Amino acid sequence: MSVAIVISQPGGPDVLKAIEMTLNEPGPDEVQIQHEVIGVNFVDIYFRSGLYPLSSSPTVPGFEGGGVVTAVGHNVRAFTPGDRVAYTGNPMGAYTALRNIPASRLIKIPDGVTIRTAGSSMLRGLTAHMLLHKVREVKAGDWLLVHSAAGGLGQIVTRWATMKGARVIGTTGSAAKVNIVQDAGAAEVLLHTDAAWAETVREMTEGRGVHLAIDGIGGNMLAATLGVVRPFGIVASLGQPAGPIPPVRVEDLGFARSIALMRPSSIVYADDADLYRQGASDLMAALQNGLENPVGAEYSLTQAAKAHADLEAGRTTGSVILTV
């Protein structure tokens, strides 16, 4: 028997319920792992709330975790019991103490990286890799704007971009979180609740704007963000905890602006075998070389509802994890 958290119908955090479930032996191409850490991410909230539809009910949510291999299917050669592994991406089903998962999804954790770090860094780390290598190949001297820079994704993007020599302007909605963003390496920290934040961004970039802007806020923030990107720059819209994003007209991206708008998906990125392997390899190397991804909030598996509520309400910083 294994403890698991399930969603039977869309709704608030209270729809997350703990159950006991029987787990079969792993299939021919599967690996069974005992979780040590499970990542909690906004994509989990989008499925729980009904913004993204569930394919079945009840469903075990979660796309990220890390732990130890306990058994392998008879076709599996790359893993053996005792291996330390981490993963992100489909299939959904991380909110459980013990799970079977395709061997192709797992990444071995290298020496010098803990299960806790790897298991809490895979989704945000791969998203950061997507933003800094695929959405735009960020290089030394580039200017980035990172909204919600005190959050889990904001911090790892800021830290990794800074390691690459880029200059990051981070925003946060709370003065109490400014130090967190500064510690992550941001060149400047602004309050996105301040009406003058966009003007300050333009001033810092000598009127030209940033090369890449990352908006994980949604609502009306995207429209304001479009105005601080230089010609041929890119805006990446990643989420909408502030609410639905009003429609954007193609005319709002050019002629005078000549900018691009993307809605990149970290799950789609993870589900591409080549991108996943390269991104995970680069992420593990970066973690070995000093990239940090602080855990800001930790809950037991059975406290998943509280973890969702705190993440939605903006009461957390850094990565949010469940432990088993």
Side-chain angles (χ1 to χ4, degrees), residues 102-116:
S104 59
R105 182 52 52 194
L106 296 177
I107 303 296
K108 285 188 178 180
I109 301 173
D111 292 342
V113 180
T114 66
I115 294 175
R116 178 184 175 91

Side-chain angles (χ1 to χ4, degrees), residues 11 16 20-21 66 76 98 139 168 184 213 242:
L16 295 169
E20 289 191 349
M21 60 186 295
V76 176
L98 197 66
K139 58 185 183 298
V168 177

Side-chain angles (χ1 to χ4, degrees), residues 291-323:
L291 176 64
E292 295 182 4
N293 179 38
V295 171
E298 179 178 337
Y299 309 82
S300 68
L301 176 59
T302 55
Q303 292 179 304
K306 179 171 174 52
H308 273 227
D310 288 349
L311 180 58
E312 278 185 284
R315 291 190 288 266
T316 65
T317 60
S319 291
V320 179
I321 62 170
L322 305 175
T323 57

Side-chain angles (χ1 to χ4, degrees), residues 147 171-175 190-198 217 221:
H147 287 308
T171 79
T172 179
S174 168
L190 308 175
L191 295 178
H192 58 68
T193 52
D194 183 346
W197 72 262
I217 296 176
M221 185 57 71

Side-chain angles (χ1 to χ4, degrees), residues 259-271:
I259 61 176
L261 171 62
M262 284 190 71
R263 179 79 170 191
S265 167
S266 54
I267 301 301
V268 172
Y269 197 70
D271 287 347

Side-chain angles (χ1 to χ4, degrees), residues 88-220:
T88 191
N90 283 307
M92 188 188 298
Y95 285 27
T96 180
L98 197 66
R99 80 172 294 192
N100 294 332
I101 189 169
S104 59
R105 182 52 52 194
L106 296 177
I107 303 296
K108 285 188 178 180
I109 301 173
D111 292 342
V113 180
T114 66
I115 294 175
R116 178 184 175 91
T117 296
S120 62
S121 301
M122 284 295 293
L123 193 147
R124 291 178 176 89
L126 207 69
T127 304
H129 188 274
M130 173 184 72
L131 291 166
L132 303 178
H133 296 83
K134 190 68 172 178
V135 173
R136 176 181 174 85
E137 185 64 47
V138 170
K139 58 185 183 298
D142 280 359
W143 279 103
L144 273 67
L145 172 68
V146 180
H147 287 308
S148 296
L153 176 61
Q155 285 197 50
I156 198 167
V157 167
T158 299
R159 292 174 187 277
W160 205 342
T162 301
M163 286 176 66
K164 290 169 68 68
R167 297 164 291 181
V168 177
I169 302 170
T171 79
T172 179
S174 168
K177 297 179 180 179
V178 169
N179 288 342
I180 295 172
V181 184
Q182 290 173 333
D183 289 344
E188 183 67 52
V189 186
L190 308 175
L191 295 178
H192 58 68
T193 52
D194 183 346
W197 72 262
E199 180 181 346
T200 303
V201 171
R202 286 188 287 268
E203 289 175 353
M204 289 191 64
T205 57
E206 299 178 339
R208 300 187 65 191
V210 298
H211 296 86
L212 172 63
I214 300 167
D215 174 28
I217 296 176
N220 294 319

